[in-house]
PDB file of all heavy atoms in Angstrom:
ATOM      1  N   TYR A   1      -2.896  -8.705  17.749  1.00  0.00           N
ATOM      2  CA  TYR A   1      -3.362  -8.159  16.445  1.00  0.00           C
ATOM      3  C   TYR A   1      -2.282  -7.557  15.602  1.00  0.00           C
ATOM      4  O   TYR A   1      -2.217  -7.856  14.371  1.00  0.00           O
ATOM      5  CB  TYR A   1      -4.543  -7.246  16.642  1.00  0.00           C
ATOM      6  CG  TYR A   1      -5.845  -7.767  17.006  1.00  0.00           C
ATOM      7  CD1 TYR A   1      -6.880  -7.012  17.328  1.00  0.00           C
ATOM      8  CD2 TYR A   1      -6.018  -9.174  16.991  1.00  0.00           C
ATOM      9  CE1 TYR A   1      -8.106  -7.451  17.653  1.00  0.00           C
ATOM     10  CE2 TYR A   1      -7.281  -9.728  17.340  1.00  0.00           C
ATOM     11  CZ  TYR A   1      -8.367  -8.843  17.638  1.00  0.00           C
ATOM     12  OH  TYR A   1      -9.570  -9.330  17.976  1.00  0.00           O
ATOM     13  N   VAL A   2      -1.434  -6.846  16.186  1.00  0.00           N
ATOM     14  CA  VAL A   2      -0.383  -6.113  15.430  1.00  0.00           C
ATOM     15  C   VAL A   2       0.615  -7.129  14.705  1.00  0.00           C
ATOM     16  O   VAL A   2       0.922  -7.075  13.520  1.00  0.00           O
ATOM     17  CB  VAL A   2       0.418  -5.116  16.260  1.00  0.00           C
ATOM     18  CG1 VAL A   2       1.556  -4.583  15.495  1.00  0.00           C
ATOM     19  CG2 VAL A   2      -0.445  -4.030  16.748  1.00  0.00           C
ATOM     20  N   GLY A   3       0.989  -8.147  15.525  1.00  0.00           N
ATOM     21  CA  GLY A   3       1.811  -9.157  14.941  1.00  0.00           C
ATOM     22  C   GLY A   3       1.266  -9.968  13.830  1.00  0.00           C
ATOM     23  O   GLY A   3       1.864 -10.299  12.865  1.00  0.00           O
ATOM     24  N   ILE A   4      -0.107 -10.251  13.920  1.00  0.00           N
ATOM     25  CA  ILE A   4      -0.797 -11.012  12.939  1.00  0.00           C
ATOM     26  C   ILE A   4      -0.862 -10.196  11.604  1.00  0.00           C
ATOM     27  O   ILE A   4      -0.594 -10.702  10.536  1.00  0.00           O
ATOM     28  CB  ILE A   4      -2.213 -11.345  13.362  1.00  0.00           C
ATOM     29  CG1 ILE A   4      -2.101 -12.360  14.566  1.00  0.00           C
ATOM     30  CG2 ILE A   4      -2.971 -12.054  12.238  1.00  0.00           C
ATOM     31  CD1 ILE A   4      -3.502 -12.684  15.236  1.00  0.00           C
ATOM     32  N   ALA A   5      -1.199  -8.910  11.785  1.00  0.00           N
ATOM     33  CA  ALA A   5      -1.301  -8.005  10.664  1.00  0.00           C
ATOM     34  C   ALA A   5       0.174  -7.935   9.942  1.00  0.00           C
ATOM     35  O   ALA A   5       0.225  -7.896   8.786  1.00  0.00           O
ATOM     36  CB  ALA A   5      -1.811  -6.682  10.963  1.00  0.00           C
ATOM     37  N   ALA A   6       1.140  -7.830  10.706  1.00  0.00           N
ATOM     38  CA  ALA A   6       2.497  -7.757  10.234  1.00  0.00           C
ATOM     39  C   ALA A   6       2.896  -8.956   9.404  1.00  0.00           C
ATOM     40  O   ALA A   6       3.620  -8.857   8.388  1.00  0.00           O
ATOM     41  CB  ALA A   6       3.541  -7.623  11.377  1.00  0.00           C
ATOM     42  N   ASP A   7       2.320 -10.125   9.779  1.00  0.00           N
ATOM     43  CA  ASP A   7       2.669 -11.346   9.001  1.00  0.00           C
ATOM     44  C   ASP A   7       1.850 -11.404   7.696  1.00  0.00           C
ATOM     45  O   ASP A   7       2.222 -12.169   6.750  1.00  0.00           O
ATOM     46  CB  ASP A   7       2.287 -12.596   9.895  1.00  0.00           C
ATOM     47  CG  ASP A   7       3.358 -12.776  10.960  1.00  0.00           C
ATOM     48  OD1 ASP A   7       4.425 -12.088  10.979  1.00  0.00           O
ATOM     49  OD2 ASP A   7       3.129 -13.728  11.844  1.00  0.00           O
ATOM     50  N   ILE A   8       0.761 -10.619   7.592  1.00  0.00           N
ATOM     51  CA  ILE A   8       0.009 -10.481   6.373  1.00  0.00           C
ATOM     52  C   ILE A   8       0.605  -9.559   5.380  1.00  0.00           C
ATOM     53  O   ILE A   8       0.557  -9.630   4.245  1.00  0.00           O
ATOM     54  CB  ILE A   8      -1.499 -10.152   6.695  1.00  0.00           C
ATOM     55  CG1 ILE A   8      -2.160 -11.277   7.445  1.00  0.00           C
ATOM     56  CG2 ILE A   8      -2.308  -9.852   5.407  1.00  0.00           C
ATOM     57  CD1 ILE A   8      -3.442 -10.921   8.019  1.00  0.00           C
ATOM     58  N   LEU A   9       1.164  -8.468   5.952  1.00  0.00           N
ATOM     59  CA  LEU A   9       1.686  -7.344   5.209  1.00  0.00           C
ATOM     60  C   LEU A   9       2.657  -7.681   3.986  1.00  0.00           C
ATOM     61  O   LEU A   9       2.554  -7.010   2.992  1.00  0.00           O
ATOM     62  CB  LEU A   9       2.403  -6.391   6.140  1.00  0.00           C
ATOM     63  CG  LEU A   9       2.963  -5.080   5.556  1.00  0.00           C
ATOM     64  CD1 LEU A   9       1.772  -4.267   4.952  1.00  0.00           C
ATOM     65  CD2 LEU A   9       3.642  -4.212   6.612  1.00  0.00           C
ATOM     66  N   PRO A  10       3.541  -8.756   4.039  1.00  0.00           N
ATOM     67  CA  PRO A  10       4.322  -9.038   2.894  1.00  0.00           C
ATOM     68  C   PRO A  10       3.458  -9.346   1.681  1.00  0.00           C
ATOM     69  O   PRO A  10       3.979  -9.024   0.493  1.00  0.00           O
ATOM     70  CB  PRO A  10       5.066 -10.370   3.314  1.00  0.00           C
ATOM     71  CG  PRO A  10       5.179 -10.246   4.756  1.00  0.00           C
ATOM     72  CD  PRO A  10       3.815  -9.601   5.210  1.00  0.00           C
ATOM     73  N   HIS A  11       2.197  -9.703   1.737  1.00  0.00           N
ATOM     74  CA  HIS A  11       1.440  -9.995   0.504  1.00  0.00           C
ATOM     75  C   HIS A  11       1.136  -8.707  -0.256  1.00  0.00           C
ATOM     76  O   HIS A  11       1.471  -8.578  -1.437  1.00  0.00           O
ATOM     77  CB  HIS A  11       0.173 -10.712   0.789  1.00  0.00           C
ATOM     78  CG  HIS A  11       0.350 -12.184   1.066  1.00  0.00           C
ATOM     79  ND1 HIS A  11       1.108 -12.899   0.250  1.00  0.00           N
ATOM     80  CD2 HIS A  11      -0.240 -13.015   1.930  1.00  0.00           C
ATOM     81  CE1 HIS A  11       1.108 -14.196   0.738  1.00  0.00           C
ATOM     82  NE2 HIS A  11       0.244 -14.281   1.691  1.00  0.00           N
ATOM     83  N   PRO A  12       0.500  -7.666   0.383  1.00  0.00           N
ATOM     84  CA  PRO A  12       0.251  -6.410  -0.419  1.00  0.00           C
ATOM     85  C   PRO A  12       1.570  -5.776  -0.842  1.00  0.00           C
ATOM     86  O   PRO A  12       1.567  -5.182  -1.966  1.00  0.00           O
ATOM     87  CB  PRO A  12      -0.599  -5.663   0.558  1.00  0.00           C
ATOM     88  CG  PRO A  12      -0.332  -6.124   1.940  1.00  0.00           C
ATOM     89  CD  PRO A  12      -0.130  -7.580   1.731  1.00  0.00           C
ATOM     90  N   ILE A  13       2.542  -5.789   0.008  1.00  0.00           N
ATOM     91  CA  ILE A  13       3.791  -5.120  -0.358  1.00  0.00           C
ATOM     92  C   ILE A  13       4.404  -5.802  -1.638  1.00  0.00           C
ATOM     93  O   ILE A  13       4.889  -5.148  -2.556  1.00  0.00           O
ATOM     94  CB  ILE A  13       4.863  -5.044   0.719  1.00  0.00           C
ATOM     95  CG1 ILE A  13       4.351  -4.236   1.979  1.00  0.00           C
ATOM     96  CG2 ILE A  13       6.243  -4.462   0.246  1.00  0.00           C
ATOM     97  CD1 ILE A  13       4.043  -2.795   1.609  1.00  0.00           C
ATOM     98  N   SER A  14       4.425  -7.101  -1.654  1.00  0.00           N
ATOM     99  CA  SER A  14       5.027  -7.850  -2.763  1.00  0.00           C
ATOM    100  C   SER A  14       4.165  -7.616  -3.993  1.00  0.00           C
ATOM    101  O   SER A  14       4.670  -7.689  -5.219  1.00  0.00           O
ATOM    102  CB  SER A  14       5.100  -9.306  -2.449  1.00  0.00           C
ATOM    103  OG  SER A  14       3.789  -9.922  -2.266  1.00  0.00           O
ATOM    104  N   ILE A  15       2.857  -7.384  -3.884  1.00  0.00           N
ATOM    105  CA  ILE A  15       1.987  -7.133  -5.109  1.00  0.00           C
ATOM    106  C   ILE A  15       2.337  -5.803  -5.721  1.00  0.00           C
ATOM    107  O   ILE A  15       2.552  -5.627  -6.914  1.00  0.00           O
ATOM    108  CB  ILE A  15       0.528  -7.150  -4.710  1.00  0.00           C
ATOM    109  CG1 ILE A  15       0.090  -8.579  -4.386  1.00  0.00           C
ATOM    110  CG2 ILE A  15      -0.350  -6.619  -5.894  1.00  0.00           C
ATOM    111  CD1 ILE A  15      -1.233  -8.755  -3.697  1.00  0.00           C
ATOM    112  N   LEU A  16       2.546  -4.843  -4.761  1.00  0.00           N
ATOM    113  CA  LEU A  16       2.972  -3.530  -5.189  1.00  0.00           C
ATOM    114  C   LEU A  16       4.327  -3.533  -5.952  1.00  0.00           C
ATOM    115  O   LEU A  16       4.519  -2.895  -6.994  1.00  0.00           O
ATOM    116  CB  LEU A  16       3.025  -2.462  -4.028  1.00  0.00           C
ATOM    117  CG  LEU A  16       1.714  -2.086  -3.480  1.00  0.00           C
ATOM    118  CD1 LEU A  16       1.967  -1.339  -2.109  1.00  0.00           C
ATOM    119  CD2 LEU A  16       0.850  -1.262  -4.456  1.00  0.00           C
ATOM    120  N   GLN A  17       5.297  -4.360  -5.378  1.00  0.00           N
ATOM    121  CA  GLN A  17       6.599  -4.478  -6.089  1.00  0.00           C
ATOM    122  C   GLN A  17       6.348  -5.094  -7.479  1.00  0.00           C
ATOM    123  O   GLN A  17       7.193  -4.662  -8.331  1.00  0.00           O
ATOM    124  CB  GLN A  17       7.413  -5.389  -5.224  1.00  0.00           C
ATOM    125  CG  GLN A  17       7.916  -4.748  -3.891  1.00  0.00           C
ATOM    126  CD  GLN A  17       8.712  -5.798  -3.035  1.00  0.00           C
ATOM    127  OE1 GLN A  17       8.525  -7.004  -3.169  1.00  0.00           O
ATOM    128  NE2 GLN A  17       9.590  -5.276  -2.253  1.00  0.00           N
ATOM    129  N   ARG A  18       5.508  -5.942  -7.677  1.00  0.00           N
ATOM    130  CA  ARG A  18       5.264  -6.534  -9.024  1.00  0.00           C
ATOM    131  C   ARG A  18       4.594  -5.567  -9.949  1.00  0.00           C
ATOM    132  O   ARG A  18       4.917  -5.518 -11.185  1.00  0.00           O
ATOM    133  CB  ARG A  18       4.473  -7.827  -8.869  1.00  0.00           C
ATOM    134  CG  ARG A  18       4.397  -8.702 -10.105  1.00  0.00           C
ATOM    135  CD  ARG A  18       4.650 -10.096  -9.824  1.00  0.00           C
ATOM    136  NE  ARG A  18       4.473 -10.904 -11.030  1.00  0.00           N
ATOM    137  CZ  ARG A  18       5.500 -11.203 -11.801  1.00  0.00           C
ATOM    138  NH1 ARG A  18       6.615 -10.746 -11.583  1.00  0.00           N
ATOM    139  NH2 ARG A  18       5.250 -12.026 -12.903  1.00  0.00           N
ATOM    140  N   LEU A  19       3.721  -4.728  -9.410  1.00  0.00           N
ATOM    141  CA  LEU A  19       3.064  -3.738 -10.208  1.00  0.00           C
ATOM    142  C   LEU A  19       3.863  -2.519 -10.590  1.00  0.00           C
ATOM    143  O   LEU A  19       3.796  -1.966 -11.675  1.00  0.00           O
ATOM    144  CB  LEU A  19       1.745  -3.263  -9.586  1.00  0.00           C
ATOM    145  CG  LEU A  19       0.681  -4.322  -9.361  1.00  0.00           C
ATOM    146  CD1 LEU A  19      -0.521  -3.616  -8.600  1.00  0.00           C
ATOM    147  CD2 LEU A  19       0.208  -5.002 -10.616  1.00  0.00           C
ATOM    148  N   LEU A  20       4.754  -2.171  -9.600  1.00  0.00           N
ATOM    149  CA  LEU A  20       5.532  -0.939  -9.756  1.00  0.00           C
ATOM    150  C   LEU A  20       7.027  -1.315  -9.497  1.00  0.00           C
ATOM    151  O   LEU A  20       7.547  -1.006  -8.385  1.00  0.00           O
ATOM    152  CB  LEU A  20       5.131   0.132  -8.828  1.00  0.00           C
ATOM    153  CG  LEU A  20       3.544   0.592  -8.960  1.00  0.00           C
ATOM    154  CD1 LEU A  20       3.258   1.486  -7.770  1.00  0.00           C
ATOM    155  CD2 LEU A  20       3.330   1.239 -10.248  1.00  0.00           C
ATOM    156  N   PRO A  21       7.672  -2.063 -10.354  1.00  0.00           N
ATOM    157  CA  PRO A  21       9.087  -2.427 -10.043  1.00  0.00           C
ATOM    158  C   PRO A  21      10.014  -1.367  -9.636  1.00  0.00           C
ATOM    159  O   PRO A  21      10.010  -0.271 -10.343  1.00  0.00           O
ATOM    160  CB  PRO A  21       9.492  -3.079 -11.435  1.00  0.00           C
ATOM    161  CG  PRO A  21       8.159  -3.447 -12.073  1.00  0.00           C
ATOM    162  CD  PRO A  21       7.287  -2.474 -11.678  1.00  0.00           C
ATOM    163  N   GLY A  22      10.721  -1.544  -8.562  1.00  0.00           N
ATOM    164  CA  GLY A  22      11.688  -0.573  -8.163  1.00  0.00           C
ATOM    165  C   GLY A  22      11.154   0.659  -7.528  1.00  0.00           C
ATOM    166  O   GLY A  22      11.908   1.512  -6.925  1.00  0.00           O
ATOM    167  N   ALA A  23       9.802   0.771  -7.341  1.00  0.00           N
ATOM    168  CA  ALA A  23       9.236   2.013  -6.770  1.00  0.00           C
ATOM    169  C   ALA A  23       8.882   1.821  -5.309  1.00  0.00           C
ATOM    170  O   ALA A  23       8.618   2.812  -4.597  1.00  0.00           O
ATOM    171  CB  ALA A  23       7.941   2.388  -7.525  1.00  0.00           C
ATOM    172  N   ILE A  24       8.796   0.585  -4.829  1.00  0.00           N
ATOM    173  CA  ILE A  24       8.350   0.343  -3.431  1.00  0.00           C
ATOM    174  C   ILE A  24       9.563   0.034  -2.579  1.00  0.00           C
ATOM    175  O   ILE A  24       9.999  -1.133  -2.449  1.00  0.00           O
ATOM    176  CB  ILE A  24       7.367  -0.827  -3.324  1.00  0.00           C
ATOM    177  CG1 ILE A  24       6.307  -0.653  -4.445  1.00  0.00           C
ATOM    178  CG2 ILE A  24       6.779  -1.041  -1.989  1.00  0.00           C
ATOM    179  CD1 ILE A  24       5.391   0.586  -4.176  1.00  0.00           C
ATOM    180  N   GLY A  25      10.054   1.017  -1.968  1.00  0.00           N
ATOM    181  CA  GLY A  25      11.187   0.867  -1.050  1.00  0.00           C
ATOM    182  C   GLY A  25      10.910   1.278   0.316  1.00  0.00           C
ATOM    183  O   GLY A  25       9.853   1.897   0.598  1.00  0.00           O
ATOM    184  N   PRO A  26      11.753   0.955   1.355  1.00  0.00           N
ATOM    185  CA  PRO A  26      11.457   1.274   2.696  1.00  0.00           C
ATOM    186  C   PRO A  26      11.567   2.807   2.972  1.00  0.00           C
ATOM    187  O   PRO A  26      11.022   3.244   3.923  1.00  0.00           O
ATOM    188  CB  PRO A  26      12.573   0.591   3.429  1.00  0.00           C
ATOM    189  CG  PRO A  26      13.717   0.479   2.488  1.00  0.00           C
ATOM    190  CD  PRO A  26      13.012   0.252   1.175  1.00  0.00           C
ATOM    191  N   SER A  27      12.065   3.635   2.037  1.00  0.00           N
ATOM    192  CA  SER A  27      12.246   5.044   2.199  1.00  0.00           C
ATOM    193  C   SER A  27      11.030   5.769   1.946  1.00  0.00           C
ATOM    194  O   SER A  27      10.837   6.984   2.192  1.00  0.00           O
ATOM    195  CB  SER A  27      13.381   5.522   1.292  1.00  0.00           C
ATOM    196  OG  SER A  27      13.099   5.304  -0.035  1.00  0.00           O
ATOM    197  N   ALA A  28       9.980   5.130   1.405  1.00  0.00           N
ATOM    198  CA  ALA A  28       8.624   5.801   1.123  1.00  0.00           C
ATOM    199  C   ALA A  28       8.108   6.343   2.391  1.00  0.00           C
ATOM    200  O   ALA A  28       8.298   5.790   3.485  1.00  0.00           O
ATOM    201  CB  ALA A  28       7.713   4.821   0.398  1.00  0.00           C
ATOM    202  N   ASP A  29       7.457   7.414   2.310  1.00  0.00           N
ATOM    203  CA  ASP A  29       6.855   8.082   3.497  1.00  0.00           C
ATOM    204  C   ASP A  29       5.566   7.442   3.819  1.00  0.00           C
ATOM    205  O   ASP A  29       4.466   7.913   3.452  1.00  0.00           O
ATOM    206  CB  ASP A  29       6.725   9.598   3.182  1.00  0.00           C
ATOM    207  CG  ASP A  29       6.163  10.364   4.462  1.00  0.00           C
ATOM    208  OD1 ASP A  29       6.369   9.891   5.562  1.00  0.00           O
ATOM    209  OD2 ASP A  29       5.678  11.510   4.272  1.00  0.00           O
ATOM    210  N   TRP A  30       5.584   6.301   4.524  1.00  0.00           N
ATOM    211  CA  TRP A  30       4.435   5.546   4.877  1.00  0.00           C
ATOM    212  C   TRP A  30       3.690   6.183   6.075  1.00  0.00           C
ATOM    213  O   TRP A  30       4.317   6.353   7.114  1.00  0.00           O
ATOM    214  CB  TRP A  30       4.770   4.093   5.177  1.00  0.00           C
ATOM    215  CG  TRP A  30       5.205   3.375   3.949  1.00  0.00           C
ATOM    216  CD1 TRP A  30       6.493   3.017   3.644  1.00  0.00           C
ATOM    217  CD2 TRP A  30       4.381   2.636   3.057  1.00  0.00           C
ATOM    218  NE1 TRP A  30       6.514   2.308   2.483  1.00  0.00           N
ATOM    219  CE2 TRP A  30       5.208   2.097   2.098  1.00  0.00           C
ATOM    220  CE3 TRP A  30       3.016   2.588   2.916  1.00  0.00           C
ATOM    221  CZ2 TRP A  30       4.733   1.321   1.036  1.00  0.00           C
ATOM    222  CZ3 TRP A  30       2.482   1.770   1.800  1.00  0.00           C
ATOM    223  CH2 TRP A  30       3.338   1.155   0.900  1.00  0.00           C
ATOM    224  N   LYS A  31       2.406   6.467   5.927  1.00  0.00           N
ATOM    225  CA  LYS A  31       1.568   6.740   7.046  1.00  0.00           C
ATOM    226  C   LYS A  31       0.896   5.531   7.522  1.00  0.00           C
ATOM    227  O   LYS A  31       0.197   4.866   6.756  1.00  0.00           O
ATOM    228  CB  LYS A  31       0.560   7.856   6.612  1.00  0.00           C
ATOM    229  CG  LYS A  31      -0.320   8.310   7.780  1.00  0.00           C
ATOM    230  CD  LYS A  31      -1.330   9.386   7.325  1.00  0.00           C
ATOM    231  CE  LYS A  31      -2.220   9.780   8.504  1.00  0.00           C
ATOM    232  NZ  LYS A  31      -3.245  10.794   8.090  1.00  0.00           N
ATOM    233  N   ILE A  32       1.104   5.169   8.776  1.00  0.00           N
ATOM    234  CA  ILE A  32       0.569   3.964   9.341  1.00  0.00           C
ATOM    235  C   ILE A  32      -0.374   4.201  10.561  1.00  0.00           C
ATOM    236  O   ILE A  32       0.013   4.986  11.455  1.00  0.00           O
ATOM    237  CB  ILE A  32       1.762   3.039   9.810  1.00  0.00           C
ATOM    238  CG1 ILE A  32       2.680   2.770   8.584  1.00  0.00           C
ATOM    239  CG2 ILE A  32       1.234   1.758  10.336  1.00  0.00           C
ATOM    240  CD1 ILE A  32       3.951   2.029   8.983  1.00  0.00           C
ATOM    241  N   THR A  33      -1.537   3.620  10.457  1.00  0.00           N
ATOM    242  CA  THR A  33      -2.497   3.841  11.514  1.00  0.00           C
ATOM    243  C   THR A  33      -3.053   2.426  11.958  1.00  0.00           C
ATOM    244  O   THR A  33      -3.015   1.470  11.117  1.00  0.00           O
ATOM    245  CB  THR A  33      -3.658   4.705  11.190  1.00  0.00           C
ATOM    246  OG1 THR A  33      -4.420   4.127  10.065  1.00  0.00           O
ATOM    247  CG2 THR A  33      -3.171   6.019  10.688  1.00  0.00           C
ATOM    248  N   GLY A  34      -3.511   2.338  13.232  1.00  0.00           N
ATOM    249  CA  GLY A  34      -4.118   1.109  13.662  1.00  0.00           C
ATOM    250  C   GLY A  34      -5.263   1.429  14.655  1.00  0.00           C
ATOM    251  O   GLY A  34      -5.190   2.419  15.392  1.00  0.00           O
ATOM    252  N   GLU A  35      -6.225   0.471  14.682  1.00  0.00           N
ATOM    253  CA  GLU A  35      -7.344   0.611  15.531  1.00  0.00           C
ATOM    254  C   GLU A  35      -7.361  -0.570  16.519  1.00  0.00           C
ATOM    255  O   GLU A  35      -6.906  -1.709  16.108  1.00  0.00           O
ATOM    256  CB  GLU A  35      -8.640   0.750  14.891  1.00  0.00           C
ATOM    257  CG  GLU A  35      -8.707   2.047  13.986  1.00  0.00           C
ATOM    258  CD  GLU A  35      -8.640   3.342  14.777  1.00  0.00           C
ATOM    259  OE1 GLU A  35      -9.074   3.271  15.953  1.00  0.00           O
ATOM    260  OE2 GLU A  35      -8.222   4.334  14.245  1.00  0.00           O
ATOM    261  N   PRO A  36      -7.951  -0.403  17.746  1.00  0.00           N
ATOM    262  CA  PRO A  36      -7.985  -1.533  18.670  1.00  0.00           C
ATOM    263  C   PRO A  36      -8.768  -2.680  18.120  1.00  0.00           C
ATOM    264  O   PRO A  36      -8.579  -3.911  18.630  1.00  0.00           O
ATOM    265  CB  PRO A  36      -8.632  -0.965  19.889  1.00  0.00           C
ATOM    266  CG  PRO A  36      -8.326   0.486  19.885  1.00  0.00           C
ATOM    267  CD  PRO A  36      -8.377   0.834  18.359  1.00  0.00           C
ATOM    268  N   ASN A  37      -9.653  -2.580  17.189  1.00  0.00           N
ATOM    269  CA  ASN A  37     -10.467  -3.689  16.669  1.00  0.00           C
ATOM    270  C   ASN A  37      -9.675  -4.543  15.641  1.00  0.00           C
ATOM    271  O   ASN A  37     -10.262  -5.441  15.053  1.00  0.00           O
ATOM    272  CB  ASN A  37     -11.679  -3.124  16.079  1.00  0.00           C
ATOM    273  CG  ASN A  37     -11.560  -2.342  14.738  1.00  0.00           C
ATOM    274  OD1 ASN A  37     -10.397  -2.106  14.344  1.00  0.00           O
ATOM    275  ND2 ASN A  37     -12.633  -1.935  14.134  1.00  0.00           N
ATOM    276  N   GLY A  38      -8.356  -4.157  15.463  1.00  0.00           N
ATOM    277  CA  GLY A  38      -7.594  -4.977  14.462  1.00  0.00           C
ATOM    278  C   GLY A  38      -7.669  -4.525  13.061  1.00  0.00           C
ATOM    279  O   GLY A  38      -7.464  -5.371  12.133  1.00  0.00           O
ATOM    280  N   THR A  39      -7.894  -3.279  12.786  1.00  0.00           N
ATOM    281  CA  THR A  39      -7.930  -2.726  11.491  1.00  0.00           C
ATOM    282  C   THR A  39      -6.745  -1.750  11.302  1.00  0.00           C
ATOM    283  O   THR A  39      -6.666  -0.879  12.104  1.00  0.00           O
ATOM    284  CB  THR A  39      -9.233  -2.031  11.181  1.00  0.00           C
ATOM    285  OG1 THR A  39     -10.327  -3.043  11.290  1.00  0.00           O
ATOM    286  CG2 THR A  39      -9.322  -1.502   9.761  1.00  0.00           C
ATOM    287  N   PHE A  40      -5.939  -1.955  10.239  1.00  0.00           N
ATOM    288  CA  PHE A  40      -4.710  -1.141  10.125  1.00  0.00           C
ATOM    289  C   PHE A  40      -4.721  -0.587   8.689  1.00  0.00           C
ATOM    290  O   PHE A  40      -5.201  -1.214   7.711  1.00  0.00           O
ATOM    291  CB  PHE A  40      -3.494  -2.127  10.354  1.00  0.00           C
ATOM    292  CG  PHE A  40      -3.520  -2.797  11.710  1.00  0.00           C
ATOM    293  CD1 PHE A  40      -4.013  -4.032  11.790  1.00  0.00           C
ATOM    294  CD2 PHE A  40      -2.967  -2.203  12.747  1.00  0.00           C
ATOM    295  CE1 PHE A  40      -4.189  -4.727  13.020  1.00  0.00           C
ATOM    296  CE2 PHE A  40      -2.991  -2.840  13.999  1.00  0.00           C
ATOM    297  CZ  PHE A  40      -3.552  -4.080  14.136  1.00  0.00           C
ATOM    298  N   THR A  41      -4.082   0.540   8.563  1.00  0.00           N
ATOM    299  CA  THR A  41      -3.901   1.128   7.186  1.00  0.00           C
ATOM    300  C   THR A  41      -2.498   1.606   7.045  1.00  0.00           C
ATOM    301  O   THR A  41      -1.779   2.028   7.967  1.00  0.00           O
ATOM    302  CB  THR A  41      -4.842   2.346   6.927  1.00  0.00           C
ATOM    303  OG1 THR A  41      -4.570   3.406   7.874  1.00  0.00           O
ATOM    304  CG2 THR A  41      -6.300   1.901   7.140  1.00  0.00           C
TER     305      THR A  41
END
């Protein structure tokens, strides 16, 4: 599940990059959670 979700993740990140140019970098303080049922935030 984690690997599958990681392969989907480029889509929402790239959307944010288009909406907020220059604001979405790796240095952002990302809070990341996951559940065994395959739901991640």
